[in-house]
Amino acid sequence: MKKNLIPEKQISAEAACNYIKDGMIVGLGTGTSAEFAVRKLGKLVREGLSIRGIPTSNRTKKLAEAEGIPLIDFSESMFIDLTIDGADEIDGNLNMIKGGGAALLQEKIVASVSRKEIIVGSKTKMVDHLGSFPLPVEVVPFGWQVVFNQLESLNGNPDLRLNNGQPLLTDQGNYIVDCHFRKISNPKLLENQINMIPGVVENGLFINLCTKMILADGEKLIVKDRKIR
């Protein structure tokens, strides 16, 4: 009889929870990998762990509330001790593409004020070069076609993300345009180029924000820390 296999995402997410200590303000990521961390933290809170969380999406907020995790917003704290989140792709320099779950704006705000950010998931998220996963770009609805045209000029091969035949709306009421660059040779340059386009709110390139990667390869953990230069 086969034993029940624990998903790799769960193994890595629960390993990241070992870094959470009493009194911390914790960033709560969005996506299937991050959900495992939220559920584990909920269990630890019920067992006596004292933390406060800042969620990166309405979906995560609902899950955290259901798990009994006390939540705050940035009116109560301008920094976060540690964030646990997932990624759609992560390279050897710990740069990432995020936003498959359409929460990239809040995820980047949270990451930008996190003293530490641990990225979790399975080993399949590790890539040599970013770009195989479509790069999400969050844009305001007004004039989105203008932004779309500018992304085409960057060879982004953009697609407007739809939901039931209508433009998908983010938590902030914006649209998502997915760009198919296939291989991104200079992520930092491209991040800046995209964010200079009027109408772009944010894009899913996360550069120098991950401080530790914990990916699971079966039951084995692949751990890497970002070198501070």
Side-chain angles (χ1 to χ4, degrees), residues 146-157:
V146 176
V147 178
F148 193 95
N149 185 61
Q150 292 294 311
L151 292 170
E152 279 188 324
S153 71
L154 290 174
N155 298 314
N157 301 297

Side-chain angles (χ1 to χ4, degrees), residues 29-196:
T30 294
T32 55
S33 297
E35 284 176 6
F36 283 115
V38 175
R39 294 184 190 281
K40 177 66 173 180
L41 289 174
K43 180 176 183 293
L44 293 173
V45 165
R46 292 189 294 274
E47 292 173 353
L49 178 69
S50 176
I51 60 171
R52 293 178 293 166
I54 296 183
T56 56
S57 66
N58 291 338
R59 188 170 77 221
T60 298
K61 180 181 179 182
K62 290 177 182 178
L63 176 60
E65 288 173 340
E67 290 291 331
I69 299 174
L71 300 180
I72 62 171
D73 59 29
F74 289 115
S75 67
E76 297 180 65
S77 176
M78 294 296 291
F79 73 90
I80 293 170
D81 292 297
L82 192 154
T83 291
I84 301 175
D85 207 347
D88 298 304
E89 286 186 342
I90 185 166
D91 67 15
N93 295 316
L94 304 191
N95 294 321
M96 303 172 284
I97 287 180
K98 290 173 54 57
L104 63 101
L105 176 58
Q106 288 178 224
E107 287 175 331
K108 191 172 279 191
I109 291 172
V110 166
S112 72
V113 294
S114 297
R115 290 170 173 166
K116 296 180 180 179
E117 170 147 301
I118 301 178
I119 296 299
V120 298
S122 72
K123 67 180 186 303
T124 60
K125 302 299 183 180
M126 190 74 179
V127 296
D128 293 328
H129 300 281
L130 299 177
S132 293
F133 190 92
L135 173 64
V137 180
E138 186 161 343
V139 305
V140 296
F142 176 81
W144 70 266
Q145 300 92 336
V146 176
V147 178
F148 193 95
N149 185 61
Q150 292 294 311
L151 292 170
E152 279 188 324
S153 71
L154 290 174
N155 298 314
N157 301 297
D159 288 317
L160 180 66
R161 193 182 299 185
L162 302 178
N163 180 31
N164 295 323
Q166 298 298 317
L168 180 143
L169 294 180
T170 68
D171 286 350
Q172 286 72 40
N174 296 318
Y175 293 172
I176 295 286
V177 176
D178 291 308
C179 295
H180 303 265
F181 286 99
R182 296 182 177 84
K183 182 178 179 180
I184 299 173
S185 57
N186 191 331
K188 181 60 179 175
L189 175 62
L190 184 60
E191 180 188 32
N192 292 334
Q193 288 176 322
I194 293 175
N195 281 351
M196 287 296 291

